[in-house]
Amino acid sequence: INDSEGHPSSSHQTLKGTSKWAASLENLLEDPEGVKRFREFLKKEFSEENVLFWLACEEFKKTQGKKQMQEKAKEIYMTFLSSKASSQVNVEGQSRLNETILETPHPLMFQKLQDQIFNLMKYDSYSRFLKSDIFLNHKKSEEQEENSPEAQTAAKRASRIYNT
């Protein structure tokens, strides 16, 4: 059922783009464009490694086979957790982590650390991201697109077609 503008009339409208990103960090991280913009923002804050670590852990959970898991676990450890890591993340309990855990990997082995990083992003950088030029400019261009004459006429054409 659509209203006169051709929009769904239910109160459960599906959020898109920046509205969805602003609703929760989870929504933002599920959207490739959102991740791209968030990374762009974190790069400026010198904390891009946080989202990269989080994404690597998500990917790791889907890894099949012990050999592949060992390789990916080692890659995550060397990139983000080792004292010599190129993109080291700052997590509690890091000093107790050592390479012996990499021998017997399991899908949730990084979960506690991933949760720490998620919370760090959620309660720290995410709120700043929502106030950043990167987010606000993207939101503005999204709104301009929605309000463009082409978008309006397409919606009106659709409503005429479906409401006759």
Side-chain angles (χ1 to χ4, degrees):
I1 302 170
N2 291 335
D3 64 15
S4 63
E5 293 295 313
H7 301 293
S9 59
S10 85
S11 59
H12 300 293
Q13 287 192 8
T14 347
L15 295 174
K16 289 190 307 205
T18 52
S19 303
K20 193 173 181 182
W21 305 348
S24 73
L25 179 57
E26 291 88 338
N27 287 349
L28 172 73
L29 294 171
E30 286 172 5
D31 182 342
E33 183 65 23
V35 169
K36 180 180 164 189
R37 301 295 174 171
F38 193 45
R39 279 184 64 184
E40 196 179 314
F41 170 76
L42 291 177
K43 214 177 264 186
K44 289 182 176 186
E45 289 212 331
F46 304 101
S47 59
E48 184 188 22
E49 68 280 355
N50 291 337
V51 76
L52 294 176
F53 173 72
W54 189 88
L55 291 166
C57 291
E58 283 299 290
E59 197 57 40
F60 177 74
K61 290 177 197 173
K62 300 173 194 162
T63 306
Q64 301 291 312
K66 188 178 179 188
K67 186 85 177 122
Q68 286 89 335
M69 284 185 93
Q70 284 175 324
E71 288 169 10
K72 260 205 183 352
K74 185 175 173 127
E75 188 182 315
I76 289 172
Y77 179 80
M78 298 311 278
T79 307
F80 300 105
L81 301 169
S82 140
S83 58
K84 302 175 193 91
S86 54
S87 300
Q88 191 176 37
V89 290
N90 188 12
V91 286
E92 271 180 56
Q94 199 166 355
S95 57
R96 291 189 296 275
L97 269 182
N98 61 45
E99 291 185 50
T100 56
I101 66 159
L102 303 176
E103 298 308 310
T104 54
H106 58 88
L108 300 177
M109 67 188 281
F110 297 117
Q111 190 64 52
K112 278 190 174 130
L113 302 176
Q114 185 185 14
D115 291 346
Q116 280 183 42
I117 290 298
F118 179 85
N119 285 326
L120 178 70
M121 291 189 299
K122 183 175 184 172
Y123 298 110
D124 187 38
S125 43
Y126 174 64
S127 53
R128 285 196 307 279
F129 169 71
L130 295 177
K131 296 173 191 148
S132 73
D133 287 345
I134 292 172
F135 176 80
L136 296 173
N137 290 338
H138 191 74
K139 183 178 180 180
K140 194 185 206 173
S141 68
E142 216 176 56
E143 287 165 355
Q144 285 170 344
E145 253 175 55
E146 283 175 16
N147 296 328
S148 73
E150 297 83 36
Q152 296 262 322
T153 55
K156 284 185 177 136
R157 275 197 309 273
S159 71
R160 280 198 304 271
I161 294 166
Y162 295 111
N163 291 332
T164 55

